[in-house]
Amino acid sequence: MADSWKITGFASKAEVQAALLAHDEVEEWDFDMVIAGREVAEDRLLEWVIEVWLPREPTAADKRAVAALFADRAPELSTEKLPPTDWVIESQKGVDPINAGPFHVRTPEHPASDDAVNLVIPASQAFGTGQHATTAGCLAMLALMRREGVMVRNAADIGTGTGLLALGALRLWPRALMTVSDIDPICVGVVEDNAALNGATIGAGRGEMLMVVTDGMADPVLKARGPYDLLIANILARPLIELAPDFGKAVSGGGHIVLAGLLATQEHAVRSAYRRAGFRLARRLVNGDWSILWLRKRR
Ligand SMILES: C[S@@+](CC[C@H](N)C(=O)[O-])C[C@H]1O[C@@H](n2cnc3c(N)ncnc32)[C@H](O)[C@@H]1O
C-alpha cells in the first residue's frame, strides 16, 4: 500500500463536467480523479469539488495540470497527504445495495432480497460494484433486452472488472457461452471469486465464464470464441471509439452490443463510430450524466 496525496479545489458544475471530459481526452493523464458534490452544512448549499488523487507527492507540474482543469480562474487548491490505505477496497466498504431492473446487487454483509435477482459482489480492487451509474445502467439495459425477447447464445463482456455484468447476463441467459476480459490482470482472481460467490462456474462451456486478460479484442481466444451475439463494453468513450472496428467484426449480423462509460456529451462521437462499424441504435438510457447504448449490427 503506497502513500497517496489528494489535491482538492472547489469548482462550478460546468468545470466539473469539463474536467471529466479532459480526463477522458488526455491520454498521458496518470491521476485518479474523483468528482464530488459536497453539501455545506449551514445553508445546505450543494457545492462541487474536483478531487485528484496521486500516487506521489504532487510536483509543480502536477499542480499546474490540476489547476488547468479550472476554466479561467486561478483555483484555490489544497493538498493533503493521505494515510496508507487501499483506497479501492476502502471506497467499496459499507456501500449500500443497489437495485437495477430485476437485480439486487449487494455485498455479502447485506441480506438477500427475496423478490429480486441477487448478485453478490464484495469489495475488491476491481471496478464494478453496481454503484456507478454506468454499471447500474448496463444491468438495466440487459434486463430490458431480455424483456424485449432478445435471445443470447454467445456473449462477451469486455472490461469486465468484477465480472458483475457477465454474472447478470448469465442470470438472464443461463445457457449462454460467456467470455469475459479485462486489460487488468488483477480482475482474474476477483472474477473467479465472484463467480464462486454467485454460483457460476469458470469454464468454456454453456453457462460458464471464461476469462482472458487482454486489451480490447486482441487475444486470439477472445477472437476465436466469436462471433458474439451479445457484446458488453463499459469502458470509456475514447477506447470505445477506437475499438469500434474490432467490435464490428466480433459481433454477428443481427447481434447486439451494449456500450457504456460515455458521458451524454460524448454520445454523438461514439454513435458515429459505431454507425461506421455497421451498428444502428436500438435503445438508449441516460443515468445521471452517462449514456448507455444498445446497438444492433446490421445483417
Ligand atoms: C468502468 S470499468 C467497468 C467494469 C464493469 N464491467 C462494470 O460495468 O462495472 C472499466 C473496465 O475496463 C477495463 N478496461 C479499460 N480499457 C480496456 C481495454 N482497452 N480492454 C479491456 N479492458 C479495458 C478496466 O481495467 C476496467 O476494469
Side-chain angles (χ1 to χ4, degrees):
M1 267 176 297
D3 287 341
S4 53
W5 280 259
K6 182 172 76 167
I7 304 179
T8 307
F10 283 92
S12 67
K13 190 171 182 193
E15 283 172 328
V16 164
Q17 281 172 336
L20 264 173
L21 279 176
H23 182 249
D24 200 13
E25 299 303 324
V26 180
E27 252 172 27
E28 63 275 16
W29 191 277
D30 64 349
F31 308 151
D32 279 332
M33 185 161 54
V34 177
I35 307 288
R38 179 176 292 175
E39 238 170 47
V40 175
E42 311 90 69
D43 53 7
R44 313 298 294 165
L45 195 73
L46 187 68
E47 289 194 275
W48 294 83
V49 291
I50 293 177
E51 293 179 350
V52 179
W53 304 57
L54 296 98
R56 58 173 180 273
E57 187 162 7
T59 61
D62 290 334
K63 287 181 187 163
R64 276 197 303 277
V66 174
L69 294 171
F70 295 78
D72 292 328
R73 63 191 176 86
E76 240 180 68
L77 300 176
S78 64
T79 303
E80 189 186 340
K81 182 168 187 241
L82 303 163
T85 312
D86 192 322
W87 289 103
V88 180
I89 292 183
E90 235 12 69
S91 68
Q92 293 178 4
K93 270 190 191 161
V95 294
D96 291 332
I98 65 118
N99 295 305
F103 297 106
H104 181 74
V105 186
R106 62 181 179 87
T107 65
E109 294 78 32
H110 286 99
S113 164
D114 289 342
D115 49 5
V117 180
N118 284 264
L119 293 169
V120 184
I121 304 290
S124 77
Q125 286 193 300
F127 187 107
T129 55
Q131 298 293 317
H132 198 268
T134 57
T135 314
C138 285
L139 286 172
M141 187 65 98
L142 292 170
L144 173 69
M145 293 172 73
R146 182 70 188 81
R147 279 204 310 278
E148 301 257 315
V150 171
M151 293 316 296
V152 173
R153 282 149 306 169
N154 190 8
D157 177 20
I158 312 295
T160 197
T162 58
L164 170 58
L165 298 180
L167 288 163
L170 278 176
R171 294 293 181 86
L172 299 169
W173 298 284
R175 297 280 304 143
L177 294 171
M178 178 61 71
T179 314
V180 304
S181 77
D182 204 286
I183 202 165
D184 185 350
I186 207 157
C187 298
V188 176
V190 176
V191 165
E192 283 170 3
D193 291 349
N194 288 341
L197 263 177
N198 288 279
T201 312
I202 299 293
R206 298 210 162 273
E208 298 181 328
M209 289 165 76
L210 186 73
M211 169 97 199
V212 293
V213 175
T214 192
D215 182 347
M217 292 301 298
D219 187 273
V221 173
L222 193 54
K223 279 190 192 144
R225 286 187 37 111
Y228 299 96
D229 47 26
L230 170 64
L231 208 139
I232 309 163
N234 178 10
I235 311 184
L236 276 175
R238 177 191 284 269
L240 286 179
I241 290 171
E242 284 168 2
L243 285 165
D246 287 350
F247 284 171
K249 284 184 211 128
V251 175
S252 53
H256 306 265
I257 188 164
V258 172
L259 300 178
L262 50 135
L263 292 162
T265 50
Q266 298 169 319
E267 192 180 321
H268 179 72
V270 173
R271 278 170 62 176
S272 300
Y274 281 80
R275 198 175 311 118
R276 287 194 294 278
F279 292 90
R280 61 175 174 74
L281 184 72
R283 280 302 170 84
R284 64 189 280 275
L285 293 177
V286 175
N287 199 3
D289 290 333
W290 302 90
S291 293
I292 295 94
L293 305 179
W294 164 16
L295 306 166
R296 187 125 200 231
K297 176 108 179 274
R298 289 189 205 90
R299 287 181 190 281

